[in-house]
Amino acid sequence: MFKKLIPFLCALPVYAAPQGAVNLVQLLTNKANHWAKGTAISFPGTAQFENSTQRWTSADAPTYFASVSPANERDVVTVLKLATSHGIPFLATGGRHGFTDTLGDLHLGLAIDLSHFDSYEIDSTAGTVTIGGSVTIGDMMDSLAEAGFMIQSGSGSCPGYVGLGLGAGVGRYMGYFGLVLDGLVSARMVTANGKVVEVSETKNSDLFWGIRGAGANFGIITSATYKLHKMADHNNGQVLNADFIFPANNTERYFKYLESWSGKMPANVAAINLVNYNDLAGEAQVLANWVYIGPEKEGRQFLAPILDLQPATATYTYVPWNKLLGTAGGAGFNDALCAKGPYRSFYTVNMRELSGSTFQATFDTMTKYYREHPDALSSYINIETFPNQATAAVPSDTTAYPWRDAIGFIQFGIVASDEVSNTTKAAGAEIGRELRDSWVKASGYPELAIYVNYAHGDEKLSQIYGRDKLPRLAALKKTWDPKNVFGYNNALPTTYRN
């Protein structure tokens, strides 16, 4: 295997360090690093490297000359210091579900893979869970339920929970429990200078403010503690899941009904609406997933008006919260959502108003896209409509996240195999920008507003982080990362003036 790597290793770029040129392989494999047992160093062409760098999407992917998978926090410090002292660009990842195209600005850098930080510990007395930097909600939700707890999450089981919360962590529980970041109690972080710091309301509180909404800019979180919610206080964790399918000839009334809930959706209700392609029918459809946290009878009564709209199918399932992600959308949906590797590119807009006519126009555009580009039939529109009572109840200045008034997120996902033509991908990007412009006009915001985890990467920083938040965030960046070593995920500036 090593012989196969020699041509690649000889072609590696030479980084200019303060003391001169650096042999990157020798730098990482030097015995003086005293790597812990279990820390893995891998190079392209090996299974270990593939496992430690594979992303959820192949679009705008960063490239690496090597990967280090630290076995403990000390080795995270070691590899970060090696990279910064020798001017080597790097990217630290947990679940590797980030899809902003700014990540692709990293060329032949160093991957810091946090996959060994995959443990969690539930403290039933304190009502908290402490997790490693790569733990997903799918890893821990069954154990949490067995212990009698719930926790807010996103819409899939596979993104790294810490990474999700660094941006915000929107999802079905926004109205009920708040954002994922609202549950963060404290964290341990390796900062740009290689020091390990604790952040909380009482320790490095200014940094604690900043990581909740812009956290990818400030360090590598090795562990974090989140507050839990007792299932006994919330219908014993039972949730009514309902999936409805509306065919192409019966979507307009449904979208009008969805609009009627604009700003009125109860805190215990949420809906995710997919415009996707029905292979059997050969046309677009709407798969509407509704969730009701509460007694099944009450949930069925609440959802009865949707049946009056005559969906083609309606499926109800009453499940414990930890089974919801594997149930919503039908069997296999979450697995398909979590599959790594396909080309996925997204254009998204926050909404503080819902517009049925805009949703219908988007459906019509998607129908045309399917017809003209049959090699991209896995592409879809995702209309997430969430209540925000618990989210909005947190004062805006409590965290760096700027969009607490959002009640929805509409997204065009261009999904294609590697064999799909560049023409099809380019057409998807063009339509994505056109759709995004149309959504902004109906969003209720004066200009584009975008949750950072959903950012395509071509937006203005003020549209991602909020114009009012940026001066304070820039000051934090100057203090904690003045050289911008954490600079590949919609990086903040070190100075900013409105």
Side-chain angles (χ1 to χ4, degrees), residues 34 40 61 81 113 119 139 149 175 197 204 209 263-264 324 351 357 394 396 405 430 437 439 443 453 462 493 498:
H34 300 294
K81 285 184 175 180
D113 162 44
S119 63
D139 292 331
F149 293 104
V197 300
N204 297 302
W209 175 87
K264 301 176 183 178
L324 174 62
M351 299 178 290
S357 59
V394 177
S396 179
D405 56 353
E430 181 179 358
D437 290 343
W439 298 336
S443 69
N453 286 1
S462 60
N498 283 326

Side-chain angles (χ1 to χ4, degrees), residues 137-138 140-146 149-150 173 231 236-239 319-327:
I137 185 66
M140 61 178 171
M141 57 188 177
D142 287 347
S143 295
L144 291 176
E146 289 175 7
F149 293 104
M150 304 173 68
Y173 298 98
M231 290 169 55
N236 290 318
Q238 291 294 121
V239 177
V319 294
W321 76 273
N322 55 305
K323 302 301 180 185
L324 174 62
L325 296 180
T327 302

Side-chain angles (χ1 to χ4, degrees), residues 25 54 91 209 230 354 370 378 389 446 454 479:
V25 178
Q54 187 182 30
L91 189 65
W209 175 87
K230 292 182 179 179
L354 307 181
Y370 288 142
S378 295
Q389 290 89 328
Y454 283 176
T479 298

Side-chain angles (χ1 to χ4, degrees), residues 332-472:
F333 179 79
N334 185 67
D335 290 341
L337 178 68
C338 290
K340 287 186 176 181
Y343 177 97
R344 295 177 170 106
S345 183
F346 296 89
Y347 293 86
T348 311
V349 170
N350 295 355
M351 299 178 290
R352 58 184 181 191
E353 296 176 4
L354 307 181
S355 169
S357 59
T358 299
F359 297 155
Q360 182 59 46
T362 296
F363 182 91
D364 294 339
T365 298
M366 201 63 187
T367 296
K368 181 180 178 182
Y369 180 68
Y370 288 142
R371 184 171 61 249
E372 295 179 352
H373 301 281
D375 52 351
L377 297 181
S378 295
S379 302
Y380 60 86
I381 301 293
N382 183 17
I383 307 171
E384 298 177 321
T385 50
F386 303 136
N388 72 338
Q389 290 89 328
T391 301
V394 177
S396 179
D397 60 0
T398 302
T399 68
Y401 179 69
W403 312 118
R404 290 186 175 274
D405 56 353
I407 60 171
F409 309 87
I410 183 168
Q411 178 181 88
F412 174 40
I414 307 162
V415 183
S417 67
D418 292 337
E419 292 76 27
V420 170
S421 68
N422 289 331
T423 300
T424 293
K425 294 176 182 177
E430 181 179 358
I431 292 171
R433 290 188 290 268
E434 292 174 356
L435 284 172
R436 186 171 62 182
D437 290 343
S438 71
W439 298 336
V440 170
K441 294 176 183 177
S443 69
Y445 287 99
E447 62 173 326
L448 173 61
I450 178 70
Y451 157 48
V452 63
N453 286 1
Y454 283 176
H456 182 79
D458 62 346
E459 302 88 351
K460 298 176 182 177
L461 287 179
S462 60
Q463 295 170 335
I464 296 173
Y465 295 112
R467 190 170 282 106
D468 294 340
K469 305 279 188 176
L470 273 170
R472 185 175 176 183

